[in-house]
Amino acid sequence: MATLTVNGEARTVDVDPQMPLLWAIREHLKLPGTKFGCGIAQCGACTVHLNGAPVRACSVPLSAADGGEVTTIEGVAGQDGALHAVQQAWIDVQVPQCGYCQSGQIMSAVALLRDKPNPTDADIDAAMRGNICRCGAYGRIRAAIKAAASQTPSRAAGGSNHG
Amino acid sequence: MGKWTRRGLIAAGVLTGGAFAVGVGIREGHRAPRLAGMVAGEGETLVNVWVKLAQDNTITAIVPHSEMGQGVFTAMAQMLAEEMDADWEHVTFEQAPAHEAYANYPLGKGYLLGDIRVPGLVADSLNGGMLRVAQNMSLQITGGSTAVRFTGQTGMRVAGAAAREMLVRAAAREWGAPAAEIRTEKSHLFHDASGRTAPYATFAAAAGAMSPPVQPRLKSREQYALMGQSAKRLDIPAKVDGSAVFAIDVDLPDMAYAAVAGPPVFGARVTRLDDAAAKAMPGVREVINEGDFVAVVADGYWRAEQAIAALDIAWTQTGRETLGQDAIYAQFRTDMARAVETGQEQRDVRSGDARGAAAAASQRVEAEYSVPYLAHAAMEPINAVAHVKDGKVDLWIGHQNPLGARDAIAKALGYDRHAITVHTCFLGGGFGRKSEADYPIMAVRIAQRFNHPVKMIWSREQDIRQDFYRPATTARVIAGLSEDNMPVSWDYQFVHKNDPVEATHIPYAIENQFIHFAETENPIRFGPWRSVDHTQHGFFIESFIDELAHAAQQDPVAFRRTLLVDKPRHIAVLDAVAEMSGWGRPMPDQRGLGVALVESFGTIVAEIVEVDASGAVPRVVNVWAAADAGFVVNPDGFTAQIESAVIYGLTAALYGNISVENGAVVQSNFHDYPMLRMDDAPAIAVRIINSDANFGGGGEPGTPPAAPALANAIFAAKGQRIRALPLAGGGRLA
């Protein structure tokens, strides 16, 4: 039995503590926005925030998240439903193509901007190189991160509402 | 198929004469109620197959393609809305059900059957490619960059124009005004003389009862208001908040999860299965030996995958257990040499006497190239959800050919195909892999053992190792240069002829050509991979043209230009990309510019790569691309496709390598099948040239020039000619 705060809500999951957080989120908490891509922390599709830090949920056992705060893509928007500046920038720059990797990309970008509200290209490289996009939207992801960074700093730097 | 044959549709009074192109005019209560029931919600009238008009005046484009990232729903909706004078703010899309009535090659089909009058306006859009696909009856395929070219031009636009005309006629009758006096704008009808106005929905029912026009008048380019605009993609909002539903996200009551293990050596079958450890795991429900694969069904996917890892499976010997990659290439060379020695070349193109001209030429240039197998590695691993109950199958899947998948399941497993319903979801990438029928059939084979639904998910390792691969191929090219350094012959030999047939052809005016291939066994299963045969032939041809330019001591752009006789569109894209890149400018040490030009799927793309070749692995700094697709419906969406295709092509050129050892695919996941990432992604600039030629494709044509442009840039940077891919990982670029 693990107890988590997921997107601001207390949740319990009664499964094998060795189950990766990814599958607990998808199959037991029924939050399918976090994606399975590789299972070995190589692609970033499963990126969520655990206690504020971006992690690859496919490679974090549930036991390691017990008692922690988890934010998924479903919890990035404001309580009022207003999109996070990163999400809005993703729309403005028309980033997604197939869209499958974008939950993870957005989670990585949100964490980046919270830590570095005005990231350099090198910062973006370092924060985003763990997220593969087979549609090759890298140039647009970079542009959208910069667009989000240029929004009011408090909003962009505010990060997720729950992380 | 029953009343849903083409003739049945015509008999329903929906498709008369040449109106096949217009689509189906239908509404609730129509004599074609089954179709109406599939797409018409309460209070809606279905005006024809490709457009649905709701009572709130919302217009829905019903798109018979799958969305795998290419923005097809938006481009299709734009084409429909343009002709319909629709209010774009109230246009949405819907995936067409997997049903013959939505087959996206109705025109080609009718044309072939010979008893359908094709409207003159759209007959121009018919070409060999479309007819070929139609002949295969491969309905509803998303691939071959066909959406805008065929479905959009011959379906959506005609449907939109027909719908508008029918609405105008309905209003004219009701208002007692001549149709010519009624104008349309933003989904409203206006009769200025009487001051009457009404939303389209007012006349939806009346229009739906009318027979569609035989030849709806399409707009000319000067009249376009939506086409040519960068409308925001309709599918993107759901892709930034996690709400977009891919097949892997489908969640059904009582659903179980399956993981699978396929044979390491293709074609092997299970001889022995020890599943004691797997069965002892909590949550494991069943271990299934299907002979050609093993599945574990469990309460959750993670447990199912763990149980797969705990299985001890022995496989039959296929005779390929010692096969290695070097032997495969050696076989290609042997078979190519034998074909020439014995005169058994399979002829592709022959004009003049290439060998005689080469023998007489003042300079002879010869090179051999090879490319490896490639996996698709879409971000969403292969998966499907199947529920078999009472002899009926429901399948939730991301597939490029949902009707084909349905028919393949019916044929393989003995179902009536009408007992199978395919629910198409968003595809988390496809690139050709998801046009294959293997995984839909597997999902149903597993699920038919249970009363509850089963979600089958492949591990990334299965996804890489059980793919249908871009084939490894080898080509040998021999050309002769005349005394004035012009090529007089082109002798081009390769292995594996697939599609498109013209992928081996060259745009260059070389008098003597012999393009031919050798039959050889390629033991690894083949599948279409973004741009199919153009990937390898683009690399071979454009690399060798570059070699010829250097042998002729000419600038690679100028050399190509000279050979592009009567090819003004090719020259225009070449000039554009040269201008964008500052071609000819002095470059720092170890930096170079390389160019390549490939026409594929009706679109001509020239790319120039700027490379920094100072490191062990070359770094692509910039890519410039110019593209002529005739007319681009959504410039930003098209630009995104070119950017995507460039990255896809560069990824393969730099890293892409699937190799075979001991008869099995070596690579398994992103650590050994690496991808281009953010920190090595180049800046990409795209220029669109609207030449007004026939519409070309968008999804694939950006891929083929990327690899040769990179290889040519490396030659410019350091004088090293790249004749084998990939550049990294294989130690080929010391």
Side-chain angles (χ1 to χ4, degrees), chain B residues 254-287:
Chain B
D254 303 321
M255 187 173 75
Y257 298 80
V260 298
V265 178
F266 292 114
R269 295 184 62 84
V270 176
T271 53
R272 183 179 50 76
L273 173 65
D274 178 354
D275 58 6
K279 279 184 166 167
M281 291 180 170
V284 170
R285 297 189 191 178
E286 202 155 330
V287 177

Short mmCIF file of all heavy atoms in Angstrom, two decimals, chain B residues 254-287:
data_model
loop_
_atom_site.label_atom_id
_atom_site.label_comp_id
_atom_site.label_asym_id
_atom_site.label_seq_id
_atom_site.Cartn_x
_atom_site.Cartn_y
_atom_site.Cartn_z
N ASP B 254 -13.16 -4.46 -16.79
CA ASP B 254 -12.69 -5.85 -16.73
C ASP B 254 -11.54 -6.16 -17.68
O ASP B 254 -11.30 -7.31 -18.03
CB ASP B 254 -13.85 -6.84 -17.03
CG ASP B 254 -15.00 -6.66 -16.07
OD1 ASP B 254 -14.73 -6.42 -14.88
OD2 ASP B 254 -16.16 -6.73 -16.51
N MET B 255 -10.85 -5.13 -18.09
CA MET B 255 -9.78 -5.33 -19.05
C MET B 255 -8.56 -5.97 -18.39
O MET B 255 -8.18 -5.61 -17.29
CB MET B 255 -9.39 -3.98 -19.66
CG MET B 255 -8.40 -4.05 -20.81
SD MET B 255 -8.19 -2.41 -21.55
CE MET B 255 -7.18 -1.61 -20.30
N ALA B 256 -7.95 -6.93 -19.11
CA ALA B 256 -6.68 -7.49 -18.67
C ALA B 256 -5.58 -7.03 -19.63
O ALA B 256 -5.87 -6.41 -20.66
CB ALA B 256 -6.76 -9.02 -18.65
N TYR B 257 -4.35 -7.34 -19.25
CA TYR B 257 -3.20 -6.83 -20.01
C TYR B 257 -2.34 -7.97 -20.50
O TYR B 257 -2.11 -8.94 -19.77
CB TYR B 257 -2.36 -5.91 -19.12
CG TYR B 257 -3.12 -4.68 -18.65
CD1 TYR B 257 -4.00 -4.76 -17.56
CD2 TYR B 257 -2.97 -3.46 -19.30
CE1 TYR B 257 -4.71 -3.66 -17.13
CE2 TYR B 257 -3.67 -2.34 -18.87
CZ TYR B 257 -4.54 -2.44 -17.79
OH TYR B 257 -5.24 -1.34 -17.38
N ALA B 258 -1.85 -7.84 -21.71
CA ALA B 258 -1.00 -8.88 -22.28
C ALA B 258 0.35 -8.32 -22.68
O ALA B 258 0.45 -7.22 -23.24
CB ALA B 258 -1.67 -9.52 -23.50
N ALA B 259 1.39 -9.09 -22.37
CA ALA B 259 2.72 -8.85 -22.92
C ALA B 259 3.07 -10.05 -23.78
O ALA B 259 2.52 -11.13 -23.59
CB ALA B 259 3.74 -8.68 -21.79
N VAL B 260 3.96 -9.84 -24.74
CA VAL B 260 4.23 -10.91 -25.71
C VAL B 260 5.73 -11.11 -25.91
O VAL B 260 6.54 -10.22 -25.66
CB VAL B 260 3.58 -10.61 -27.08
CG1 VAL B 260 2.07 -10.53 -26.95
CG2 VAL B 260 4.14 -9.33 -27.69
N ALA B 261 6.05 -12.30 -26.39
CA ALA B 261 7.42 -12.60 -26.81
C ALA B 261 7.35 -13.26 -28.19
O ALA B 261 6.72 -14.30 -28.35
CB ALA B 261 8.10 -13.54 -25.81
N GLY B 262 7.97 -12.61 -29.15
CA GLY B 262 8.02 -13.17 -30.51
C GLY B 262 9.34 -13.90 -30.71
O GLY B 262 10.25 -13.80 -29.88
N PRO B 263 9.47 -14.61 -31.80
CA PRO B 263 10.69 -15.40 -32.03
C PRO B 263 11.89 -14.50 -32.33
O PRO B 263 11.77 -13.58 -33.13
CB PRO B 263 10.32 -16.26 -33.24
CG PRO B 263 9.25 -15.50 -33.95
CD PRO B 263 8.49 -14.77 -32.89
N PRO B 264 13.02 -14.76 -31.71
CA PRO B 264 14.21 -13.95 -32.01
C PRO B 264 14.62 -14.08 -33.48
O PRO B 264 15.03 -13.10 -34.09
CB PRO B 264 15.29 -14.53 -31.09
CG PRO B 264 14.60 -15.44 -30.14
CD PRO B 264 13.26 -15.78 -30.69
N VAL B 265 14.50 -15.28 -34.01
CA VAL B 265 14.78 -15.49 -35.43
C VAL B 265 13.43 -15.59 -36.13
O VAL B 265 12.59 -16.41 -35.77
CB VAL B 265 15.60 -16.79 -35.65
CG1 VAL B 265 15.82 -17.02 -37.14
CG2 VAL B 265 16.91 -16.71 -34.89
N PHE B 266 13.21 -14.72 -37.10
CA PHE B 266 11.90 -14.67 -37.76
C PHE B 266 11.54 -16.04 -38.33
O PHE B 266 12.36 -16.72 -38.93
CB PHE B 266 11.89 -13.63 -38.88
CG PHE B 266 11.97 -12.22 -38.34
CD1 PHE B 266 13.08 -11.44 -38.61
CD2 PHE B 266 10.97 -11.71 -37.56
CE1 PHE B 266 13.17 -10.15 -38.10
CE2 PHE B 266 11.04 -10.43 -37.04
CZ PHE B 266 12.15 -9.65 -37.32
N GLY B 267 10.29 -16.42 -38.11
CA GLY B 267 9.80 -17.67 -38.65
C GLY B 267 9.91 -18.85 -37.69
O GLY B 267 9.35 -19.92 -37.94
N ALA B 268 10.66 -18.66 -36.59
CA ALA B 268 10.80 -19.77 -35.64
C ALA B 268 9.49 -19.98 -34.88
O ALA B 268 8.69 -19.05 -34.73
CB ALA B 268 11.94 -19.49 -34.68
N ARG B 269 9.30 -21.20 -34.39
CA ARG B 269 8.11 -21.52 -33.60
C ARG B 269 8.53 -22.12 -32.26
O ARG B 269 9.63 -22.64 -32.12
CB ARG B 269 7.21 -22.50 -34.37
CG ARG B 269 6.65 -21.88 -35.66
CD ARG B 269 5.69 -22.84 -36.36
NE ARG B 269 4.53 -23.14 -35.53
CZ ARG B 269 3.44 -22.37 -35.45
NH1 ARG B 269 3.36 -21.26 -36.15
NH2 ARG B 269 2.43 -22.73 -34.69
N VAL B 270 7.62 -22.03 -31.34
CA VAL B 270 7.92 -22.52 -29.99
C VAL B 270 8.03 -24.05 -30.01
O VAL B 270 7.13 -24.72 -30.53
CB VAL B 270 6.81 -22.09 -29.00
CG1 VAL B 270 7.06 -22.67 -27.62
CG2 VAL B 270 6.68 -20.58 -28.96
N THR B 271 9.12 -24.56 -29.47
CA THR B 271 9.21 -26.03 -29.33
C THR B 271 9.02 -26.45 -27.88
O THR B 271 8.57 -27.55 -27.60
CB THR B 271 10.60 -26.56 -29.78
OG1 THR B 271 11.62 -25.84 -29.09
CG2 THR B 271 10.76 -26.40 -31.26
N ARG B 272 9.40 -25.58 -26.95
CA ARG B 272 9.26 -25.93 -25.55
C ARG B 272 9.02 -24.66 -24.76
O ARG B 272 9.63 -23.62 -25.05
CB ARG B 272 10.54 -26.62 -25.06
CG ARG B 272 10.49 -27.10 -23.61
CD ARG B 272 11.79 -27.80 -23.21
NE ARG B 272 12.99 -27.03 -23.55
CZ ARG B 272 13.38 -25.96 -22.85
NH1 ARG B 272 12.71 -25.57 -21.80
NH2 ARG B 272 14.46 -25.29 -23.22
N LEU B 273 8.12 -24.74 -23.81
CA LEU B 273 7.79 -23.56 -23.02
C LEU B 273 7.74 -23.96 -21.55
O LEU B 273 6.92 -24.80 -21.16
CB LEU B 273 6.44 -22.98 -23.46
CG LEU B 273 5.87 -21.84 -22.62
CD1 LEU B 273 6.76 -20.61 -22.72
CD2 LEU B 273 4.45 -21.51 -23.07
N ASP B 274 8.61 -23.39 -20.75
CA ASP B 274 8.56 -23.60 -19.30
C ASP B 274 8.01 -22.34 -18.67
O ASP B 274 8.67 -21.29 -18.64
CB ASP B 274 9.97 -23.92 -18.77
CG ASP B 274 9.96 -24.11 -17.24
OD1 ASP B 274 8.89 -23.88 -16.61
OD2 ASP B 274 11.02 -24.46 -16.70
N ASP B 275 6.78 -22.43 -18.20
CA ASP B 275 6.12 -21.23 -17.70
C ASP B 275 5.83 -21.31 -16.20
O ASP B 275 5.02 -20.56 -15.67
CB ASP B 275 4.83 -20.96 -18.47
CG ASP B 275 3.84 -22.12 -18.40
OD1 ASP B 275 4.11 -23.09 -17.64
OD2 ASP B 275 2.82 -22.06 -19.10
N ALA B 276 6.49 -22.25 -15.51
CA ALA B 276 6.19 -22.46 -14.09
C ALA B 276 6.43 -21.19 -13.28
O ALA B 276 5.59 -20.78 -12.46
CB ALA B 276 7.03 -23.61 -13.54
N ALA B 277 7.58 -20.55 -13.49
CA ALA B 277 7.91 -19.35 -12.72
C ALA B 277 6.93 -18.22 -13.04
O ALA B 277 6.50 -17.47 -12.14
CB ALA B 277 9.34 -18.91 -13.01
N ALA B 278 6.57 -18.10 -14.28
CA ALA B 278 5.66 -17.04 -14.68
C ALA B 278 4.28 -17.24 -14.05
O ALA B 278 3.67 -16.31 -13.52
CB ALA B 278 5.54 -17.00 -16.21
N LYS B 279 3.82 -18.47 -14.10
CA LYS B 279 2.48 -18.75 -13.58
C LYS B 279 2.40 -18.58 -12.08
O LYS B 279 1.31 -18.36 -11.54
CB LYS B 279 2.06 -20.17 -13.98
CG LYS B 279 1.53 -20.27 -15.40
CD LYS B 279 1.04 -21.67 -15.71
CE LYS B 279 0.20 -21.67 -16.98
NZ LYS B 279 -0.02 -23.04 -17.46
N ALA B 280 3.57 -18.69 -11.42
CA ALA B 280 3.57 -18.55 -9.96
C ALA B 280 3.46 -17.09 -9.52
O ALA B 280 3.26 -16.82 -8.34
CB ALA B 280 4.85 -19.17 -9.40
N MET B 281 3.61 -16.18 -10.45
CA MET B 281 3.57 -14.76 -10.08
C MET B 281 2.14 -14.33 -9.78
O MET B 281 1.21 -14.70 -10.50
CB MET B 281 4.13 -13.91 -11.22
CG MET B 281 5.61 -14.09 -11.43
SD MET B 281 6.16 -13.05 -12.81
CE MET B 281 7.93 -13.22 -12.63
N PRO B 282 1.97 -13.51 -8.73
CA PRO B 282 0.62 -13.02 -8.44
C PRO B 282 0.12 -12.14 -9.58
O PRO B 282 0.88 -11.36 -10.15
CB PRO B 282 0.80 -12.21 -7.15
CG PRO B 282 2.26 -11.86 -7.12
CD PRO B 282 2.98 -12.97 -7.81
N GLY B 283 -1.15 -12.30 -9.91
CA GLY B 283 -1.73 -11.45 -10.95
C GLY B 283 -1.61 -12.01 -12.35
O GLY B 283 -2.21 -11.49 -13.28
N VAL B 284 -0.83 -13.12 -12.50
CA VAL B 284 -0.71 -13.72 -13.82
C VAL B 284 -1.91 -14.65 -14.04
O VAL B 284 -2.17 -15.53 -13.24
CB VAL B 284 0.61 -14.51 -13.97
CG1 VAL B 284 0.62 -15.33 -15.26
CG2 VAL B 284 1.79 -13.55 -13.93
N ARG B 285 -2.65 -14.42 -15.09
CA ARG B 285 -3.86 -15.21 -15.32
C ARG B 285 -3.61 -16.38 -16.25
O ARG B 285 -4.13 -17.47 -16.05
CB ARG B 285 -4.95 -14.32 -15.94
CG ARG B 285 -5.36 -13.18 -15.03
CD ARG B 285 -6.57 -12.48 -15.58
NE ARG B 285 -6.84 -11.24 -14.87
CZ ARG B 285 -7.83 -10.42 -15.20
NH1 ARG B 285 -8.64 -10.71 -16.22
NH2 ARG B 285 -8.01 -9.32 -14.52
N GLU B 286 -2.86 -16.14 -17.30
CA GLU B 286 -2.68 -17.22 -18.25
C GLU B 286 -1.42 -17.00 -19.07
O GLU B 286 -1.06 -15.87 -19.39
CB GLU B 286 -3.89 -17.27 -19.20
CG GLU B 286 -4.05 -18.64 -19.85
CD GLU B 286 -5.50 -18.91 -20.27
OE1 GLU B 286 -6.45 -18.40 -19.63
OE2 GLU B 286 -5.66 -19.64 -21.24
N VAL B 287 -0.74 -18.10 -19.37
CA VAL B 287 0.37 -18.07 -20.32
C VAL B 287 -0.12 -18.78 -21.58
O VAL B 287 -0.61 -19.90 -21.51
CB VAL B 287 1.61 -18.77 -19.74
CG1 VAL B 287 2.74 -18.78 -20.79
CG2 VAL B 287 2.07 -18.07 -18.46
#
